Amino acid sequence: MLFGTTPTRNPRLQLLKNVVLFKDLSMRDLAMVDSLMHARKYIAEEVIFDEGEEGQGLFVVLSGRVKITLPAKVDTVLIDLGPGAFFGEVALLDQSVRTAQARAIEDTQIVALFRADFYSLLKTHAAIASPISFQLAKVLAARLRQAVLNTSRHHEAG
């Protein structure tokens, strides 16, 4: 955090507060999480991560836009993400490889929370990591449920 910038006046914290994973954190707790995050900038069309790479952590879009695609079908965008959206969250939980590609659509700023930092937070500040974990579980459950519904509809149509 910058000197003279209080958590309630920090624009990055204000954006992060609107991310569902962090919605239950106080500004003070969010500042702690923010201190573990790593800022990155990508130019338009730059690859953030590729399918097959080991997942290291999750990313939150601060500005710009990111598309998630399958490299075999790079023209088919699975999802288009803007400010406040997050992606790559499964990497917080395991060391599996990425199943898709993430690429900046335009000049984009993101912050990354790496698995090692999240595990450290779980050990040292469980009261902060627990609400994040709960929200992460809810998001993953919703996405799994949607994937099952989409698969069922696809089979019914075919």
Side-chain angles (χ1 to χ4, degrees):
M1 186 164 43
L2 299 173
F3 292 106
T5 304
T6 62
T8 56
R9 291 196 177 131
N10 181 325
R12 188 160 114 176
L13 287 183
Q14 291 299 322
L15 182 81
L16 291 174
K17 184 67 175 167
N18 293 321
V19 175
V20 68
L21 292 180
F22 310 125
K23 74 181 189 86
D24 294 329
L25 298 181
S26 70
M27 292 306 278
R28 182 174 177 224
D29 290 347
L30 189 55
M32 165 71 78
V33 173
D34 184 53
S35 73
L36 299 173
M37 294 183 144
H38 304 269
R40 301 278 191 267
K41 291 182 180 182
Y42 295 90
I43 60 171
E45 294 304 316
E46 187 175 358
V47 172
I48 298 167
F49 60 72
D50 244 327
E51 178 185 34
E53 292 179 0
E54 181 186 336
Q56 297 291 323
L58 78 83
F59 301 92
V60 178
V61 180
L62 297 178
S63 67
R65 289 182 29 234
V66 172
K67 64 182 175 181
I68 307 297
T69 63
L70 297 175
K73 298 179 179 182
V74 76
D75 293 334
T76 304
V77 177
L78 299 175
I79 191 164
D80 181 325
L81 305 165
F86 62 93
F87 59 98
E89 65 278 358
V90 173
L92 281 185
L93 306 174
D94 68 15
Q95 296 177 343
S96 61
V97 297
R98 300 287 188 185
T99 57
Q101 180 188 80
R103 182 185 295 263
I105 295 172
E106 58 195 37
D107 291 354
T108 300
Q109 292 185 11
I110 63 171
V111 287
L113 178 60
F114 295 115
R115 183 183 325 104
D117 293 325
F118 185 65
Y119 281 8
S120 176
L121 188 67
L122 279 166
K123 291 177 185 174
T124 60
H125 294 86
I128 297 174
S130 180
I132 297 170
S133 300
F134 182 67
Q135 290 301 328
L136 179 60
K138 286 173 59 175
V139 166
L140 291 173
R143 289 180 181 174
L144 178 60
R145 189 175 302 108
Q146 188 60 50
V148 169
L149 287 173
N150 290 345
T151 301
S152 296
R153 288 184 190 127
H154 177 71
H155 287 304
E156 290 171 3

